[in-house]
Amino acid sequence: LADENEASRVISSCSLFSHFGITGDKSDQWKFIAKSICKIDEDDFYRIIKKYTAKGILDQRGRFIRVVPKPLAIRLATDWWDNTSPDTRVKIFQACLLNDLFIPLCEQMKNLHSSESVTNFVSDYYKLNGPNCTLENFTTFSGSKILYYFVEINPEACIDALTKVFGNLSKNDMLEVPNRRDIIWALEKLCFWKGTFEKSAKLFFMPQNRLIKN
């Protein structure tokens, strides 16, 4: 029973990511999951990974591995988010920002948009007076990538944050915004939803805001 509980924790931790590195220059990723999320010995983690790869629960392709089938991964990831404290969620997310895992984490999060815990996380992340609702955050590589995925989780929170940050910038300021591509793609997504269409369209077409020019 102890071994089964440990294996369950490992697979659950792995399910938080659309994929993660297991060999070569990406091997630090599975070690991070073992230490920071699953909190078990690396050798035990690796043994379980290999066991459940053989069973077909994990699928390795080259340097990367993932939980399969996808519905199982989504169910396990949803359970983790719904049963993990808000403080722990924030700590894990911030830790993933320090390595390449934040992108596969966000890729998986966008599949969990039906989870209230995940949508609330995005609302908290983009609090209008918070540290992430700033021009400096949105225009970094990581900040723009996170936005690109988060618009599919909580579009209302994202468009409110974008409106606050970009709504009153001058034309010249807009033209100097770095990492604009992900911001533009995020706005294009927001234009498809009735509740966010008007605000996102204004950011595209307000006379002083030519985010898509050049």
Side-chain angles (χ1 to χ4, degrees), residues 32 86-96 121:
F32 168 84
D87 287 346
T88 298
R89 296 177 210 150
V90 171
K91 289 177 182 178
I92 295 300
F93 190 87
Q94 290 176 338
C96 288
F121 180 88

Side-chain angles (χ1 to χ4, degrees), residues 112-149:
L112 313 179
H113 52 80
S114 61
S115 167
E116 185 176 344
S117 300
V118 177
T119 57
N120 287 342
F121 180 88
V122 176
S123 293
D124 291 339
Y125 192 80
Y126 286 138
K127 283 183 179 178
L128 296 186
N129 294 318
N132 298 310
C133 189
T134 63
L135 181 63
E136 291 75 19
N137 174 63
F138 279 125
T139 55
T140 63
F141 172 78
S142 59
S144 62
K145 287 292 182 185
I146 290 168
L147 172 69
Y148 175 77
Y149 293 110

Side-chain angles (χ1 to χ4, degrees), residues 4-203:
E4 290 181 1
N5 289 336
E6 191 172 65
S8 178
R9 282 168 46 215
V10 169
I11 304 304
S12 177
S13 299
C14 294
S15 73
L16 297 178
F17 306 92
S18 60
H19 62 277
F20 60 93
I22 192 69
T23 63
D25 63 345
K26 298 298 183 180
S27 60
D28 285 348
Q29 294 187 350
W30 74 262
K31 294 176 182 178
F32 168 84
I33 296 172
K35 178 181 178 181
S36 300
I37 302 178
C38 200
K39 300 185 186 300
I40 70 170
D41 179 78
E42 288 182 3
D43 288 339
D44 290 336
F45 185 92
Y46 192 78
R47 171 179 53 80
I48 292 170
I49 287 290
K50 287 300 182 180
K51 177 180 178 180
Y52 283 88
T53 299
K55 287 178 175 289
I57 301 300
L58 289 160
D59 177 40
Q60 183 174 350
R61 302 292 176 92
R63 297 175 297 166
F64 298 97
I65 197 167
R66 60 179 178 169
V67 177
V68 292
K70 191 172 182 178
L72 173 63
I74 292 173
R75 172 62 182 273
L76 292 174
T78 299
D79 287 346
W80 184 93
W81 277 91
D82 289 345
N83 294 289
T84 300
S85 71
D87 287 346
T88 298
R89 296 177 210 150
V90 171
K91 289 177 182 178
I92 295 300
F93 190 87
Q94 290 176 338
C96 288
L97 282 174
L98 302 177
N99 55 53
D100 291 339
L101 275 171
F102 84 91
I103 291 180
L105 175 64
C106 290
E107 285 180 343
Q108 187 70 305
M109 287 177 69
K110 75 179 178 62
N111 295 320
L112 313 179
H113 52 80
S114 61
S115 167
E116 185 176 344
S117 300
V118 177
T119 57
N120 287 342
F121 180 88
V122 176
S123 293
D124 291 339
Y125 192 80
Y126 286 138
K127 283 183 179 178
L128 296 186
N129 294 318
N132 298 310
C133 189
T134 63
L135 181 63
E136 291 75 19
N137 174 63
F138 279 125
T139 55
T140 63
F141 172 78
S142 59
S144 62
K145 287 292 182 185
I146 290 168
L147 172 69
Y148 175 77
Y149 293 110
F150 276 11
V151 292
E152 297 189 41
I153 302 170
N154 191 330
E156 292 80 9
C158 292
I159 192 57
D160 287 345
L162 284 169
T163 299
K164 178 180 183 293
V165 172
F166 292 103
N168 295 315
L169 289 187
S170 69
K171 176 180 177 180
N172 288 337
D173 288 339
M174 294 296 284
L175 293 176
E176 293 176 1
V177 168
N179 296 301
R180 283 185 295 169
R181 180 172 297 179
D182 286 315
I183 299 172
I184 292 168
W185 287 341
L187 284 169
E188 288 176 345
K189 290 181 182 181
L190 289 165
C191 284
F192 281 96
W193 288 295
K194 181 179 180 180
T196 56
F197 169 77
E198 184 175 351
K199 290 181 179 180
S200 56
K202 283 182 178 179
L203 288 180

